[in-house]
Amino acid sequence: MNASKPEQVYEVRSFCRTCIAACGVVLTIDQGRIAGIRGDKAHPVSQGYACFKGLQAMDAHHGAARQLHTLRRADDGSMARVGTQAALDDIAARLAAIIARDGPDAVALFRGTAAFHNSTAFRMHGEFLRALGSSSLYTTLTIDQSAKYIAAGRLGSWHAGQVHVDTAEVLLVFGCNPLVSHSAGGMLVSDPTRRLKAAKARGLKLIVVDPRQTETAHHADIFLQPLPGQDHVVAAGLLRLVLEAGRHDAAFCALHVDGLDMLRRAVDPFTPDEVALRAGIDAGALRAAADMFAVASRHGAVITGTGTDMAPRSNLAEHLIQCLDVVCGHFKRAGETMPHHDPLQPPVTWHADVVAPTRPWEALPPSRIRGVGQLYGEKLTATLADEILTPGPGQIKALIVDGANIANSVPDKARMLQALRSLELLVVIDPYLSTTAGQAHYVFSPKLQYERDDLPLTLGRPLYPDAWTQYAPAAIAPPAGSDVMDDWQVFFELAGRLGLAMQYGGKPLALDRLPTSEELLARGLHKTRLTLEAIQQSPGLIWDGRNRPAIVQPARPQAGRFAVAPPDVVAELGEVAAEPLAHLKADETAKTAFHLIVRRMRDVNGSIGMESESIRQRNPYNPLHMNPADLERMGLATDQKVHVRAQYGAIVGIVRPDATLRGGVVSMSHNWGRADNEPDSYERHGASTNLLVRNDRVFEAINAMPRMSAIPVTIEAY
Ligand SMILES: Nc1nc2c(c(=O)[nH]1)N[C@H]1C(S)=C(S)[C@@H](COP(=O)(O)OP(=O)(O)OC[C@H]3O[C@@H](n4cnc5c(=O)[nH]c(N)nc54)[C@H](O)[C@@H]3O)O[C@H]1N2
Ligand SMILES: Nc1nc2c(c(=O)[nH]1)N[C@H]1C(S)=C(S)[C@@H](COP(=O)(O)OP(=O)(O)OC[C@H]3O[C@@H](n4cnc5c(=O)[nH]c(N)nc54)[C@H](O)[C@@H]3O)O[C@H]1N2
Ligand code: SF4
Ligand SMILES: [Mo]
């Protein structure tokens, strides 16, 4: 690590961990502080690209908002400094008492966005819970795009994965805006605009389905602008058109697909005219999209994002959208090259076959609140507040939150706050006094990204379009005199005090000597074909995508088949077909009635960045975006305050015109607002859209995903 040269000016190559894109950066370090950040032109993936929010990281490290000490909340609610060792002793004693009384599941851990981008914390979470014997892991994944896990469990998935954007001839994008979010199933991550433009110059056809004409839709050959929450209807219509015209890949389906006839019957009610009526789009445009997507070639792919996966019927929508790839055989075939292998995962031989649907949740006891008991090793975040508030076996009494702001980010904010305030013990690891940290008994101050030794995020499936990895050395030391420590250390120290038998990277971890992060990173590579030294020695960067391309192997004899029409999917589609067209009926609220949809802001990642002055100058709050024609019709002016009322809650918004929105649709970003969220705090802290969501009213079966997009609201002047 380079953190020991405070007097010199020098440069360090690293990568940005503000979002998933992990762009390469070069830091200038002066007097132990970050004096400059620029994109790393020599980086093989990002090639010098870095965005505004990533370049503001020095503000996060050195800004006034960062809290540098371990804090304890007094009975009057005020936060005061406390010794870190004393805090850990007290927490361990309280955890031990809770475990002795209520069992280990009463201790839960929440992993948030910032802790995903921290490879030692990420691994330590799992090891700590395992040693504790607790199954109470919650993360943001189950309030994000968990519909994708449901689809994989019910439909199956293709082992060798999707066709990549760099080779695809057609890309169909639902409810995703990668040009802002840098996030699209590992396809358009770093420098997404350049990558998309290059693909288009090569001949890629782009179809975008979004109620907003997004930055991504700006490049579309066909843009469908439906009502929000109708993706399942649009997808059913597209499937019907493809299958009716025989434009699917019949040979592929015969080999790999079960239930095709059943699927064809199930989508039969969704004629182009019916879809046009329900989704508010043009039937001709739908036909054109089907024609463009189901091209004779098989190099195409669909991607979906939060818009699709947060609206009602998201599991059905995701299933049907993925069926478009399935029936068209839009996958990598035997003999093709895999462009991306994640070097931080064990080597995999990729096969051109189906990973059978296993519905793994059906083998587990159901949740005592809603939905399934576990989804791929996690409990459902939309049930967390109720798991804290509902007495009985399994009730959560203590919660450790790492890198999340769950008071703001978990739907149904009022209930989440109530739950957090009722906990016997709430411990938060956060560099800022976030809304969540403000409720905690203890707050630990973690190292920030450029103070940490790190490797990129790895989740078991390729997250990046290229095979690369990089060692990020700690470039600076934490501020002198601070209590700042690595996130993993909090768990390590507690494990020692609790006398747990910890493992790390497949081997026992001695708890009587503090390891270094480098040691932990090296241990974490035990299943890969790399050593940490090898990564460190290849100018901090390894990229073996070009050198060692993996060739997709033929199907295995024991391969599974896609289940495109399982009974629960067919039944839900039948329900939809029988639904009255409620939104077409004019009533007295129609003038003020809107649908509120999700939106990511360019300059913050969730709430990461909100504490930076440079970012907040440009983004003082989260505005309510509204079509100018709607503003005019309602007699509203730019920056005017309005009431946004949903069935289960109300907030105040500050309107901003946005001509890219479909009329009748408003959009607003999430994770803003403080605990009280009083109207006079909106200009300073923004508004919490999660005050508009109830988790127990409109939600999906299986994953309990609540309605976080396409929320019916009324808008009136304040
Ligand atoms: N700058 C920035 N980048 C981020 C984040 C951030 O906060 N800021 N967050 C990160 C995270 S945590 C995630 S999960 C990813 C998410 O990445 P994306 O999924 O790309 O998220 P959004 O940019 O919000 O795009 C969602 C799109 O869905 C549309 N939409 C809303 N409702 C519907 C609907 O019912 N149907 C359809 N078809 N479209 C709909 C919206 O108009 C919007 O364009 O982004 C990551 N990247
Ligand atoms: N209504 C609505 N709700 C949503 C969404 C939506 O679209 N609409 N999106 C959902 C999605 S996709 C996601 S992923 C979640 C995100 O939910 P969260 O993960 O809770 O996201 P953030 O608000 O980004 O919180 C990150 C926290 O990490 C802290 N932090 C910053 N840097 C560091 C660091 O280096 N170390 C540590 N330990 N902490 C750090 C920040 O101060 C902040 O408190 O929100 C979900 N909630
Ligand atoms: S796109 Fe993401 S990783 Fe790249 S510089 Fe911006 S915030 Fe950092
Ligand atoms: Mo997310």
Side-chain angles (χ1 to χ4, degrees):
M1 78 173 232
N2 291 316
S4 57
K5 300 186 279 182
E7 72 292 349
Q8 296 164 17
V9 179
Y10 57 95
E11 291 193 334
V12 182
R13 287 176 82 189
S14 188
F15 63 87
C16 174
R17 282 148 278 171
T18 304
C19 89
I20 202 172
C23 302
V25 293
V26 179
L27 308 174
T28 305
I29 310 298
D30 186 359
Q31 309 294 321
R33 290 165 67 93
I34 304 171
I37 309 180
R38 63 175 196 274
D40 181 358
K41 290 208 172 87
H43 196 278
V45 180
S46 56
Q47 297 177 11
Y49 174 83
C51 79
F52 174 77
K53 68 181 177 303
L55 296 176
Q56 306 313 302
M58 57 252 252
D59 230 30
H61 284 70
H62 307 304
R66 184 173 178 191
Q67 64 96 10
L68 298 173
H69 298 285
T70 304
L71 300 178
R72 182 176 200 267
R73 186 155 51 85
D75 291 341
D76 67 358
S78 65
M79 291 288 195
R81 264 180 81 170
V82 62
T84 302
Q85 297 305 317
L88 290 162
D89 289 345
D90 185 43
I91 293 166
R94 290 161 79 166
L95 288 177
I98 290 170
I99 293 166
R101 192 189 59 214
D102 301 313
D105 279 346
V107 178
L109 191 152
F110 196 102
R111 176 193 293 142
T113 309
F116 273 94
H117 301 290
N118 177 342
S119 47
T120 43
F122 186 94
R123 187 176 288 267
M124 191 62 92
H125 293 158
E127 303 287 13
F128 178 75
L129 285 178
R130 240 186 313 281
L132 208 60
S134 170
S135 61
S136 300
L137 172 67
Y138 294 82
T139 82
T140 49
L141 291 179
T142 49
I143 47 165
D144 192 334
Q145 294 160 68
S146 60
K148 294 182 170 61
Y149 296 115
I150 309 302
R154 299 201 289 192
L155 171 67
S157 56
W158 189 251
H159 191 250
Q162 285 185 296
V163 172
H164 195 264
V165 65
D166 290 343
T167 53
E169 280 154 64
V170 59
L171 198 61
L172 170 56
V173 180
F174 275 82
C176 186
N177 187 17
L179 265 45
V180 167
S181 67
H182 300 80
S183 158
M187 292 214 193
L188 294 162
V189 195
S190 184
D191 205 355
T193 306
R194 179 184 57 85
R195 204 146 193 157
L196 183 62
K197 278 186 177 164
K200 289 222 65 184
R202 187 187 41 72
L204 175 82
K205 297 282 183 233
L206 179 68
I207 308 165
V208 174
V209 185
D210 197 306
R212 196 186 141 229
Q213 189 165 19
T214 58
E215 293 74 2
T216 309
H218 183 70
H219 298 267
D221 296 281
I222 296 178
F223 171 53
L224 301 180
Q225 195 168 20
L227 284 160
Q230 298 298 326
D231 291 1
H232 55 293
V233 171
V234 175
L238 289 172
L239 279 168
R240 188 185 188 281
L241 283 166
V242 170
L243 293 174
E244 189 185 47
R247 302 189 72 147
H248 60 296
D249 186 335
F252 179 88
C253 290
L255 274 175
H256 300 291
V257 176
D258 284 336
L260 194 64
D261 292 343
M262 180 79 90
L263 179 70
R264 171 66 187 86
R265 283 198 294 279
V267 297
D268 200 54
F270 300 91
T271 61
D273 288 341
E274 180 72 13
V275 173
L277 199 63
R278 283 175 181 264
I281 53 172
D282 178 56
L286 186 77
R287 283 198 183 85
D291 288 347
M292 185 175 278
F293 185 71
V295 280
S297 92
R298 54 184 163 72
H299 277 90
V302 289
I303 54 176
T304 58
T306 54
T308 299
D309 289 354
M310 290 183 177
R313 301 213 182 276
S314 46
N315 291 341
L316 178 62
E318 186 66 41
H319 183 99
L320 295 174
I321 291 169
Q322 291 195 21
C323 279
L324 283 161
D325 262 349
V326 169
V327 302
C328 294
H330 274 165
F331 299 108
K332 292 204 199 76
R333 305 296 182 92
E336 288 184 26
T337 306
M338 292 293 293
H340 49 345
H341 163 71
D342 181 346
L344 297 180
Q345 289 291 324
V348 183
T349 304
W350 300 101
H351 288 274
D353 62 26
V354 178
V355 180
T358 58
R359 297 173 171 256
W361 54 85
E362 287 182 357
L364 302 166
S367 160
R368 64 187 190 123
I369 306 295
R370 284 179 295 283
V372 302
Q374 270 193 332
L375 198 56
Y376 298 93
E378 297 185 12
K379 292 190 175 175
L380 307 176
T381 291
T383 67
L384 173 59
D386 290 315
E387 290 286 8
I388 294 170
L389 290 166
T390 310
Q395 184 180 11
I396 291 167
K397 305 287 176 62
L399 177 63
I400 306 177
V401 178
D402 191 4
N405 189 7
I406 57 176
N408 279 5
S409 62
V410 173
D412 200 340
K413 177 170 182 165
R415 185 101 176 132
M416 195 66 232
L417 275 170
Q418 186 195 349
L420 292 177
R421 288 171 176 152
S422 79
L423 281 164
E424 270 183 57
L425 180 63
L426 175 61
V427 177
V428 173
I429 306 172
D430 203 295
Y432 304 104
L433 264 183
S434 67
T435 311
T436 309
Q439 313 302 316
H441 297 98
Y442 286 101
V443 184
F444 290 102
S445 181
K447 287 185 187 169
L448 291 182
Q449 56 177 322
Y450 297 120
E451 295 160 354
R452 292 198 307 257
D453 300 312
D454 220 338
L455 290 168
L457 172 65
T458 177
L459 288 181
R461 61 199 153 80
L463 294 171
Y464 301 102
D466 309 278
W468 73 283
T469 190
Q470 180 172 0
Y471 177 63
I476 53 170
S482 72
D483 298 330
V484 165
M485 61 180 158
D486 274 297
D487 301 57
W488 62 257
Q489 193 183 340
V490 175
F491 301 94
F492 177 90
E493 300 273 359
L494 292 175
R497 285 165 172 80
L498 289 165
L500 302 182
M502 286 280 287
Q503 300 265 314
Y504 198 99
K507 283 192 300 192
L509 180 66
L511 297 176
D512 52 359
R513 183 188 62 82
L514 195 67
T516 63
S517 294
E518 267 182 287
E519 276 173 68
L520 296 179
L521 290 171
R523 275 172 173 250
L525 295 170
H526 67 297
K527 287 188 182 155
T528 72
R529 47 185 181 188
L530 288 171
T531 61
L532 192 63
E533 297 82 68
I535 304 174
Q536 286 169 328
Q537 280 160 20
S538 57
L541 192 84
I542 286 181
W543 184 42
D544 62 358
R546 255 185 215 150
N547 310 336
R548 277 189 283 175
I551 304 298
V552 179
Q553 300 300 308
R556 293 160 290 189
Q558 75 279 20
R561 292 170 69 84
F562 284 115
V564 290
D568 47 356
V569 170
V570 172
E572 191 176 351
L573 205 45
E575 251 174 55
V576 174
E579 263 171 9
L581 302 181
H583 62 268
L584 297 178
K585 281 201 215 120
D587 61 26
E588 68 280 7
T589 60
K591 238 182 76 186
T592 57
F594 289 83
H595 280 100
L596 174 69
I597 62 171
V598 291
R599 177 187 193 114
R600 260 130 252 268
M601 289 170 77
R602 193 181 278 283
D603 297 342
V604 289
N605 189 20
S607 50
I608 300 171
M610 283 182 200
E611 308 291 344
S612 294
E613 260 177 51
S614 49
I615 289 178
R616 284 304 281 281
Q617 273 164 15
R618 288 161 57 145
N619 305 274
Y621 51 82
N622 55 335
L624 176 79
H625 298 267
M626 207 169 176
N627 186 291
D630 285 333
L631 280 179
E632 201 184 314
R633 176 170 65 80
M634 312 247 325
L636 295 172
T638 301
D639 294 335
Q640 191 169 338
K641 270 190 179 175
V642 291
H643 289 287
V644 183
R645 294 194 183 91
Q647 195 177 353
Y648 309 117
I651 54 174
V652 173
I654 301 170
V655 293
R656 183 171 298 171
D658 178 356
T660 65
L661 278 163
R662 184 188 162 110
V665 177
V666 288
S667 80
M668 192 167 187
S669 193
H670 55 292
N671 295 11
W672 288 76
R674 301 302 286 193
D676 55 15
N677 221 214
E678 297 297 334
D680 65 3
S681 78
Y682 282 66
E683 286 91 346
R684 281 176 292 125
H685 302 301
S688 287
T689 52
N690 278 325
L691 286 168
L692 303 174
V693 182
R694 275 284 289 260
N695 291 337
D696 58 347
R697 301 297 158 91
V698 181
F699 62 91
E700 300 305 297
I702 306 176
N703 54 350
M705 184 71 183
R707 177 171 62 193
M708 294 160 70
S709 196
I711 305 171
V713 293
T714 60
I715 310 267
E716 280 166 274
Y718 182 70

